[in-house]
Amino acid sequence: MEWSLRFLGVGNASAVELGSPMAVIERDGRPWLTIDCGGEGLTAYRAHYGAMPDALFVTHVHLDHVAGFERLFVDAYFNPRRRGRVRLYVPAPVVPLLHRRVGDYPNVLAEGGANFWDAFQLIVVGEAFWHDGVRLEVFPVRHHWPETAWGLRLQGALVWSGDTRPIPEMLARHADDGELVAHDCGLHGNPSHTGVDDLEREYPAELQARMVLYHYASAADGQALRARGHRVAEPGECVLLAEPTAPRAVPFAG
């Protein structure tokens, strides 16, 4: 079984040409779990896979991460085979924020008779959740405001930082099994995002060597990050992952 991570977009909110910071965990070349639902990212998803996502994890609700939800709603709601079956894994503190951001528009269809959440299977998650028989971990990150943004771990294979300042204490716990670490990093940091000076100061060399950086401001900034010796993701890039060591569900014998 082959696992990989496909970057649909790698830019920050202003870097439209680099795409929304969004990715897909693939298994045997097929989409397994999508991370976030940005506008440009959703377009890139459909262009690559020829369909819309069936399962998504939401890190937080800034619009470059959730602006695609209106299109996803329309696609799912008007397809009887998909309505109510598109899985959304959402950290519990993010649920009310997501509802206010994308779900609470009055009369979601002009004709009436529909609720936004009718299109989805909302799965509220805490520190971990099961997807397709595999356990994934969820952890808080440092972005904009406490308990509004979360990272994701597929043990042994991948840690996705989401938008964050440096989180060495979290990665000491959640990236201790040789995982590839996809980390927010631009050329310059700010109170919500990691800059390369922050990254080099806060993380040990061994961990930096396992990182691939995304959420940067321009192609030129990406080149500058590479010039400092870092691996930098590009839109559409697909990275092979190690076989996960995450717990697997034991088939129920009945």
Side-chain angles (χ1 to χ4, degrees), residues 4 8 146:
S4 55
L8 299 174

Side-chain angles (χ1 to χ4, degrees), residues 39-60:
E40 293 88 6
L42 194 62
T43 298
Y45 185 103
R46 182 147 201 169
H48 183 79
Y49 297 109
M52 290 291 205
D54 293 322
L56 304 93
F57 173 76
V58 178
T59 64
H60 68 293

Side-chain angles (χ1 to χ4, degrees), residues 178-253:
E179 295 90 351
L180 177 80
V181 178
H183 202 292
D184 171 357
C185 187
L187 200 56
H188 306 288
N190 61 42
S192 292
H193 295 281
T194 300
V196 66
D197 290 338
D198 305 318
L199 188 108
E200 293 172 350
R201 180 183 66 250
E202 297 287 345
Y203 294 120
E206 181 277 330
L207 186 55
Q208 291 182 47
R210 290 193 276 127
M211 288 181 174
V212 56
L213 308 184
Y214 75 100
H215 204 283
Y216 48 96
S218 66
D221 281 9
Q223 289 294 345
L225 293 169
R226 291 185 187 94
R228 294 178 69 144
H230 298 287
R231 184 178 181 181
V232 180
E234 295 184 358
E237 182 177 359
C238 189
V239 180
L240 289 178
L241 300 174
E243 180 71 20
T245 60
R248 310 289 177 96
V250 178
F252 181 61

